[in-house]
Amino acid sequence: MTLPPVLQDRLRLPVVASPMFIVSGPDLVINQCAAGIVGSFPSLNARPQVVLREWLIRIIDELAKHDATNPETPSAPYAVNLIVHKSNDRLEEDLATVVEFKVPIVITSLGARVDVNEAVHSYGGIVLHDVINNTFARKAVEKGADGLIAVAAGAGGHAGMQSPFALIQEIRAWFGGPLLLSGSIAHGRSVLAAQAAGADLAYVGSAFIASTEATADPRYKQMIVDSTAEDIIHSNLFTGIHGNYLRGSIEAVGLDPNDLATSKPASMNFAADESLTSATSGAKAWRDIWGAGQGIGAVEKVTSASEIVERLSGEYAEARTALLQG
């Protein structure tokens, strides 16, 4: 399995930080990249749309400064996430901005489109596409995606329901390109396990919610620290698509996590500020209902992104050594 040049050599750890709605912004991305992993953010976090340009200018400038002063440890590349769902009425504008700035890695979610992939390829960028099953994986590659992100059971946000072992196994049976694994990865051992299962890189999100650079509500960060896998609730009520959420945030808006209604995907509009509001509670996802994956039991405190990468790197190295000695 050969990674494209943009994902070779510049990674301290085989990790891509996942883009998280209302959580990932320039501060987090810059510090993730400087620490040696791919940092990413959803384009829709930059509101209004013109702010996306400002964020990209800042990220590019700050990483260039880092590289100039740290030639021995240059930054990892950054990525932008585009929601390719038909409800996203900002997609065309955001894609034009991505092309203008030649964003090196584009992560597409909730749909796959040939025109989006071709636009990114026009300047030499690569596209990694989120998938929750093997059928979607095949469709994404057929439409021109360069790599796949297998979003398995236990991942934060819009997670799949299949075991990571089953999902990776089925995709690897036919796909030899870049493959990432998402699902409960918050410890260095899990990063190594993702590679052992057949992935090239691990896709890590929830651990970075509890980072000082994240734009998450401080209560959200602390809830990540205080919660474990038992506190993750799987529901489609809040966006119409099944996702994993923190029990405490659901209880905080007056809902019973053990007795949630269902919703329909047709209600989604990811680009609208008033969107993703539960008709049952009036709560907004993800402002009030907070997403997280089942791996959060590994998160013990709120700390910087660089310290999180340092922890993961140490755990990863220890796990490799332990296997070799075993």
Side-chain angles (χ1 to χ4, degrees):
M1 297 168 284
T2 302
L3 290 172
V6 70
L7 289 172
Q8 294 181 15
D9 303 326
R10 290 167 58 189
L11 299 185
R12 175 185 181 187
L13 191 65
V15 165
V16 172
S18 64
M20 295 177 285
F21 202 48
I22 79 166
V23 172
S24 306
D27 286 342
L28 182 55
V29 171
I30 290 165
N31 282 279
Q32 287 169 332
C33 293
I37 67 171
V38 175
S40 71
F41 70 93
S43 65
L44 293 177
N45 278 3
R47 296 174 185 250
Q49 201 279 332
V50 68
V51 174
L52 180 57
R53 292 178 54 86
E54 298 172 6
W55 283 17
L56 291 173
I57 290 170
R58 183 181 166 209
I59 289 169
I60 292 168
D61 288 349
E62 290 291 331
L63 292 181
K65 291 177 183 176
H66 169 86
D67 293 349
T69 55
N70 299 274
E72 300 301 319
T73 54
S75 60
Y78 72 96
V80 173
N81 171 225
L82 296 177
I83 300 296
V84 193
H85 190 272
K86 61 183 180 180
S87 70
N88 180 11
D89 54 21
R90 256 187 58 173
L91 176 59
E92 300 304 324
E93 286 183 283
D94 287 353
L95 178 59
T97 304
V98 162
V99 172
E100 177 187 354
F101 283 86
K102 296 181 172 59
V103 173
I105 303 168
V106 174
I107 298 167
T108 52
S109 306
L110 300 179
R113 281 175 46 175
V114 173
D115 59 328
V116 172
N117 295 335
E118 290 179 345
V120 176
H121 293 159
S122 70
Y123 62 82
I126 67 167
V127 177
L128 305 176
H129 187 71
D130 282 349
V131 298
I132 60 171
N133 59 45
N134 195 38
T135 299
F136 288 158
R138 288 185 180 277
K139 289 180 179 179
V141 173
E142 288 170 2
K143 292 183 178 182
D146 301 287
L148 300 169
I149 302 167
V151 184
H158 293 128
M161 299 179 69
Q162 294 184 2
S163 159
F165 297 111
L167 186 53
I168 287 288
Q169 172 183 284
E170 292 189 0
I171 294 173
R172 270 296 180 226
W174 59 272
F175 182 66
L179 181 57
L180 288 68
L181 178 62
S182 172
S184 309
I185 301 176
H187 192 284
R189 286 194 301 265
S190 302
V191 174
L192 184 61
Q195 290 183 301
D200 297 293
L201 305 167
Y203 201 59
V204 180
S206 299
F208 289 102
I209 298 171
S211 66
T212 52
E213 297 91 349
T215 54
D217 185 306
R219 296 170 299 168
Y220 187 2
K221 297 182 182 184
Q222 191 58 46
M223 193 174 290
I224 292 290
V225 173
D226 296 338
S227 300
T228 66
E230 292 181 334
D231 298 304
I232 302 302
I233 303 297
H234 193 65
S235 172
N236 81 336
L237 171 62
F238 307 106
T239 69
I241 297 177
H242 276 94
N244 285 323
Y245 305 93
L246 286 165
R247 175 183 296 273
S249 69
I250 297 172
E251 293 173 337
V253 299
L255 295 176
D256 180 357
N258 299 315
D259 187 25
L260 295 176
T262 58
S263 186
K264 297 180 180 180
S267 64
M268 294 189 301
N269 185 342
F270 286 92
D273 288 336
E274 69 276 8
S275 69
L276 305 183
T277 302
S278 167
T280 305
S281 66
K284 286 187 177 182
W286 310 82
R287 187 198 67 187
D288 302 311
I289 309 298
W290 298 331
Q294 294 178 2
I296 54 175
V299 182
E300 298 180 344
K301 61 181 179 179
V302 177
T303 187
S304 69
S306 63
E307 289 176 294
I308 294 171
V309 174
E310 185 70 28
R311 173 178 67 80
L312 291 171
S313 297
E315 294 165 348
Y316 178 81
E318 290 176 5
R320 283 175 59 96
T321 298
L323 280 178
L324 292 172
Q325 291 178 342

